[in-house]
Amino acid sequence: MAFDREKARNFCIIAHIDHGKSTLADRLLEYTGTLTGKAMQEQVLDSMDLERERGITIKSHPVRMDYRDPSGQAYVLNLIDTPGHVDFHYEVSRSLAACEGALLVVDAVQGVQAQTINNLYLAVEHDLAIIPVINKIDLDAARVDYVTEQFIDLIGCDPSEIVKVSAKSGVGIDELLKAIIDRVPPPKGDPEAPAQALIFDSMFDAYVGAVAYVRMFTGTIAKGQKIRVFSNERQFEVGDIGWFRLARISQKSLTAGEVGYIATGAKDVRHVRVGDTITLAETPCAAPWPGYAEAKPMVFSGLYPTENDQYNDLLDALQKLQLNDASLTWEKETSAALGFGFRCGFLGLLHLEIVQERLEREYNLSLIATLPNVEYEVLLRDGTVQLCENPAMLPDPKVIAEIREPIVRASVITPKEFVGAVIQISLERRGVQTKMEYLDVERVNLEFDLPLNELVVDYYDKLKSVTRGYASLDYEYLRHRADDLVRLDLKINGEDVDALTCIVHKDNAYSWGLKLCQKLKELIPRQMFAVAIQAAVGTRVLARTTVQPFRKNVTAKCYGGDISRKRKLLEKQKEGKKRMKQVGSVEIPQEAFLAVLKVER
């Protein structure tokens, strides 16, 4: 059957974490008859165990549904499920670019949250038809009237336009399907024009290579044709093409307005990056679809195997994981304290957690992750700018003119009684308040310009703690800004421990260094000699603690006689300890590296 653009609707679901996005997708699949009986399970679009356990969407999952309305008219509905977490912001924006409409879902209990607003702005930017949806209306604590008022204030809609549903029980799903058909415009595009397909996601298949998830805007691409990827000029032959139910369904071609997949045969998923454009090699389109940008890692951390003989296994695991996650970057590095490992770049802290957990689970590895840090711009005195993502690799202070750190615009939505506490923890982390806006009588939207380094360590945990879990956070990168930053080195018995090196603000260097020294003193086991733990900036020691040695009472056998006999024995012991210290090495336990992550700022 030929594809009828007038009877097609491409839409996505956007919402804050845990507002019922995946459950709503389940109900749509069930009501359109796409899935029935045994195939139906909860969070059916969340294919990873991690996604199910955490209740979050990590990867986008498109699905095509055939739907007949009550009058018997057949429609094709393409749903593109999107991740909700701020770390995957770019993936959400590309998914929105592939749609004409969006379901903006809000929990009837929690109301509008930070990412709801952020995703709404993204949808408005892409000029999408927005259908406001209130979910979980069947709960006892649901505040439907209150959330309706929030929606009216937020997008200026009419109360009759808001669709009220319960994704769990299926209430209101029929009305929602009718709203999608009535309000989401059909896709446009000339099937005879040069082919232009936007890649909104990609994955790696061991049998057919890199598979691009695409939305066709113009033209037609058929199986066996030669295609070209715009950003890297690489050419591939289409091995397979088609659209999604939940598995891939092969077709002869994809035409303008359709959502589907193209199996490129590429050996690396980085050759078909999200946001790129695919066209035909022989008759290419004039320009790529606008808005392409490479997903840039924001947080960096060293990953080291606890057993040195697992190094090759970790290398193998990272290579395999990168095939399915093009936003993960890594390079080999060596640490004097931890041995051989990798410096990895992540989109954010959740991305780091997910990758580490997948490596440990799926590849049976035991890993140590070093303190997360961000990418700094270092302006040298000769005018050149270096990028530094590992604090231990910072150039000599004598050649540095200034160090610039990444600044983010953080948006916090909190109940009004916690405003003071949120402002306090933000100012303590060198934040600058830029906005304070009452969304309604109960909740306030606060905006801060914050150094990303302060945000990635423990800001989110602190925020949840001081607001009893009621605040929500969203952030976006603004720029790099120069500040008075220094490198803080940790020395154990005069030896630098590069894995514990960090870049901090000059004003915080003493307090942070002292806390690290005190924490390490608790964790480093006692030796037969004194172990000095120092925090230093350059050659200046800011803080010091000492792990006291075990002491044998060598004077016990000395009874009576001159004091010089005792002194002689003590001097001999002192010489022995000195010699032991020169040749002895201090084993730093794994807990010490993990404890640094939990040190209170």
Side-chain angles (χ1 to χ4, degrees):
M1 191 176 76
F3 177 70
D4 182 357
R5 269 186 303 288
E6 290 304 311
K7 296 289 184 285
R9 302 290 184 268
N10 298 329
F11 69 98
C12 60
I13 306 176
I14 52 177
H16 192 77
I17 296 167
D18 205 29
H19 279 210
K21 197 163 68 241
S22 296
T23 311
L24 184 60
D26 291 351
R27 289 296 79 72
L28 291 171
L29 290 170
E30 199 173 11
Y31 271 66
T32 56
T34 308
L35 276 186
T36 51
K38 287 181 180 176
M40 196 65 225
Q41 55 172 330
E42 283 192 22
Q43 288 171 255
V44 75
L45 293 184
D46 292 344
S47 53
M48 274 186 238
D49 288 343
L50 263 177
E51 291 181 312
R52 294 172 178 285
E53 284 169 26
R54 287 172 175 251
I56 58 173
T57 300
I58 296 165
K59 287 291 284 177
S60 299
H61 299 270
V63 64
R64 175 170 166 145
M65 300 175 280
D66 294 323
Y67 173 65
R68 284 191 182 275
D69 68 5
S71 67
Q73 185 65 59
Y75 289 91
V76 170
L77 307 180
N78 282 310
L79 162 63
I80 298 170
D81 189 25
T82 59
H85 197 276
V86 60
D87 283 8
F88 306 105
H89 179 274
Y90 179 65
E91 209 168 288
V92 175
S93 81
R94 294 300 86 202
S95 296
L96 294 182
C99 300
E100 278 77 35
L103 308 184
L104 184 64
V105 179
V106 171
D107 187 321
V109 179
Q110 296 179 47
V112 172
Q113 303 279 299
Q115 275 166 253
T116 315
I117 294 174
N118 193 283
N119 286 334
L120 170 67
Y121 290 158
L122 269 179
V124 170
E125 213 176 281
H126 288 92
D127 200 23
L128 301 188
I130 294 162
I131 301 174
V133 180
I134 300 176
N135 190 18
K136 307 187 186 180
I137 59 168
D138 55 337
L139 296 180
D140 294 339
R143 302 176 293 169
V144 177
D145 294 340
Y146 170 64
V147 179
T148 301
E149 290 296 322
Q150 285 188 325
F151 259 136
I152 293 166
D153 291 343
L154 187 64
I155 57 177
C157 62
D158 193 86
S160 61
E161 293 175 16
I162 299 170
V163 184
K164 301 175 180 72
V165 304
S166 166
K168 200 88 173 170
S169 62
V171 174
I173 301 297
D174 289 329
E175 290 87 338
L176 182 59
L177 286 164
K178 184 178 185 305
I180 291 167
I181 286 161
D182 293 347
R183 294 193 231 166
V184 176
K188 297 181 176 68
D190 180 4
E192 302 304 320
Q196 199 177 30
L198 169 74
I199 303 171
F200 61 85
D201 198 6
S202 59
M203 56 85 71
F204 187 80
D205 185 296
Y207 297 103
V208 295
V211 178
Y213 293 11
V214 297
R215 155 70 200 272
M216 295 292 300
F217 282 99
T218 58
T220 302
I221 296 177
K223 193 172 180 175
Q225 285 186 305
K226 272 258 195 283
I227 53 169
R228 178 158 72 87
V229 180
F230 247 93
S231 70
N232 54 34
E233 297 290 320
R234 288 178 182 270
Q235 295 191 9
F236 304 103
E237 187 177 314
V238 179
D240 188 19
I241 195 166
W243 33 261
F244 303 93
R245 269 289 193 269
L246 280 178
R248 298 195 292 264
I249 310 289
S250 278
Q251 301 296 309
K252 289 179 182 172
S253 64
L254 285 177
T255 187
E258 284 195 276
V259 174
Y261 69 89
I262 297 173
T264 62
K267 296 287 178 274
D268 195 329
V269 80
R270 285 172 293 182
H271 297 155
V272 285
R273 283 186 182 270
V274 174
D276 215 334
T277 302
I278 288 177
T279 188
L280 289 174
E282 290 176 9
T283 53
C285 55
W289 194 252
Y292 174 69
E294 285 201 11
K296 194 170 182 286
M298 298 295 283
V299 174
F300 296 85
S301 176
L303 289 180
Y304 295 86
T306 50
E307 303 292 331
N308 284 338
D309 57 3
Q310 282 195 331
Y311 174 80
N312 287 328
D313 296 338
L314 177 57
L315 171 63
D316 191 39
L318 281 169
Q319 286 171 337
K320 285 178 180 170
L321 202 58
Q322 197 178 38
L323 290 174
N324 283 313
D325 186 355
S327 52
L328 169 68
T329 62
W330 55 267
E331 58 185 38
K332 296 176 183 179
E333 75 169 5
T334 311
S335 158
L338 297 172
F340 295 105
F342 301 89
R343 167 90 9 198
C344 302
F346 306 93
L347 297 175
L349 269 191
L350 177 83
H351 191 208
L352 186 159
E353 257 182 73
I354 295 293
V355 168
Q356 189 179 349
E357 205 162 327
R358 285 188 69 186
L359 286 170
E360 289 179 342
R361 271 192 196 193
E362 295 172 23
Y363 301 96
N364 202 21
L365 297 168
S366 174
L367 302 174
I368 296 175
T370 61
L371 186 70
N373 56 277
V374 297
E375 187 174 67
Y376 296 90
E377 285 181 359
V378 183
L379 177 66
L380 304 179
R381 294 194 185 278
D382 63 4
T384 57
V385 175
Q386 271 187 23
L387 294 178
C388 178
E389 58 208 34
N390 184 353
M393 304 304 288
L394 197 70
D396 191 310
K398 296 190 193 83
V399 301
I400 296 175
E402 65 181 27
I403 303 174
R404 302 171 190 149
E405 62 183 344
I407 304 296
V408 294
R409 171 71 47 83
S411 170
V412 179
I413 293 181
T414 177
K416 63 182 180 185
E417 62 263 33
F418 304 121
V419 167
V422 171
I423 291 174
Q424 186 183 345
I425 66 161
S426 302
L427 296 182
E428 281 172 2
R429 283 154 182 75
R430 300 188 287 126
V432 177
Q433 190 179 339
T434 57
K435 185 178 176 184
M436 180 173 173
E437 174 189 21
Y438 274 81
L439 299 173
D440 50 50
V441 292
E442 285 298 320
R443 292 165 340 119
V444 185
N445 182 20
L446 297 163
E447 282 189 4
F448 302 92
D449 287 359
L450 268 169
L452 181 60
N453 194 33
E454 299 282 349
L455 188 136
V456 299
V457 177
D458 68 344
Y459 179 80
Y460 187 66
D461 294 345
K462 260 282 183 258
L463 181 69
K464 286 292 181 189
S465 171
V466 299
T467 62
R468 297 189 213 141
Y470 284 111
S472 59
L473 169 73
D474 198 23
Y475 64 89
E476 60 178 336
Y477 168 75
L478 284 181
R479 63 184 180 280
H480 273 70
R481 184 182 72 193
D483 213 329
D484 200 358
L485 303 166
V486 291
R487 187 176 91 177
L488 184 71
D489 292 313
L490 259 287
K491 296 174 185 284
I492 293 179
N493 270 353
E495 296 286 323
D496 283 344
V497 183
D498 52 1
L500 298 177
T501 299
C502 52
I503 294 174
V504 294
H505 194 270
K506 197 172 182 180
D507 296 347
N508 302 336
Y510 169 71
S511 60
W512 183 233
L514 183 62
K515 282 174 183 170
L516 281 177
C517 288
Q518 288 168 340
K519 194 73 183 173
L520 287 173
K521 184 182 177 181
E522 295 168 19
L523 294 163
I524 290 177
R526 289 172 73 187
Q527 312 288 325
M528 293 303 293
F529 50 88
V531 177
I533 304 167
Q534 297 167 307
V537 171
T539 54
R540 184 165 154 251
V541 175
L542 300 180
R544 172 189 165 128
T545 57
T546 306
V547 179
Q548 294 301 331
F550 291 119
R551 183 172 181 273
K552 182 183 176 187
N553 188 0
V554 288
T555 59
K557 61 186 176 186
C558 220
Y559 49 92
D562 196 81
I563 187 68
S564 60
R565 288 178 65 204
K566 286 188 178 181
R567 198 169 288 137
K568 188 177 171 187
L569 285 167
L570 289 168
E571 287 296 324
K572 193 176 175 187
Q573 184 188 39
K574 194 173 168 186
E575 282 299 315
K577 285 190 181 292
K578 194 174 173 184
R579 201 163 51 249
M580 202 185 290
K581 188 175 179 177
Q582 285 169 356
V583 295
S585 62
V586 181
E587 190 78 15
I588 303 169
Q590 185 180 335
E591 296 81 53
F593 298 101
L594 303 176
V596 174
L597 307 180
K598 298 179 177 71
V599 173
E600 192 78 11
R601 283 222 167 192

